Amino acid sequence: MKYIISWVLRFIPRKFIQLFAHRLIKIYSIFLTGNKVYCPVCDHSFRHFLPYGRLTPRENALCPSCLSLERHRLMYLYLKNETTFFTDKPKLLHIAPEYCFIERFEKHLGDQYITADIESPLAKVKMDLHDIPFEDNTFDAVFCNHVLEHVKDDVRCMQEIRRVLKPTGFALCQSPQRYDLATTYEDASITDPREREIHFLQDDHLRIYGRDYGTQLEKSGFTVEPVNLIEKLGLAESQKMALPLEEIIYVCRK
């Protein structure tokens, strides 16, 4: 299964994966009945999660019910445990919306929920993150996960997110990181797609952030609060939900 998923992620256009993958995976989920792992997003338990990844698929990563990954489950728990997101009805801009969240956020927020992306068929608004087509101080929250590593000018995009965020709001802008790197790594001279996969995890990534990612967000004017939710949850519970044990949540405010 992990080799099939790896091949699909590398060679099938993402828009087709977004439209059709969930149907096939949900059918396969009937073979994973069990209670060794738990997904807090869809409230389902399984014998194990599915593998996920391009070059080296991660074991026990993808929920076969809602398609949440480790980072999605961590973010959901942060919103549920550490914010008033699910008790209030914030106006939310969700950039590159993840399948596992769309239906849940729409049900909770209604017309307060706006999805946007430059190419995703799941988004309602077509938008270039370098030039967000909304007025200053429009949104209570902005979610922009695993996008900034793709864009030409990440600082400009961060500034645009900050611009449309209300002074009382917050943004979550998670991105892939290599924790063995002290600083963010870019190299435009590497043009071969397979080489870019090796250096940047995907051939369409323009950079890979290091441990300085929080500092990079601050360069755009954000005040950044790093949150280690794994410490709060504990190792056993984090492993039960297959959360990313090293990942820090960077809560960005004006």
Side-chain angles (χ1 to χ4, degrees), residues 26-46:
K26 282 187 176 181
I27 294 172
Y28 186 76
S29 70
I30 63 176
F31 299 104
L32 298 176
T33 302
N35 60 4
K36 288 188 176 181
V37 296
Y38 170 70
C39 176
V41 180
C42 63
D43 193 30
H44 281 76
S45 297
F46 300 95

Side-chain angles (χ1 to χ4, degrees), residues 62-81:
L62 179 69
C63 173
S65 174
C66 69
L67 271 62
S68 71
L69 291 168
E70 306 98 324
R71 64 180 184 266
H72 303 136
R73 296 189 287 274
L74 185 70
M75 175 177 158
Y76 187 87
L77 288 167
Y78 171 76
L79 294 174
K80 181 180 177 182
N81 297 352

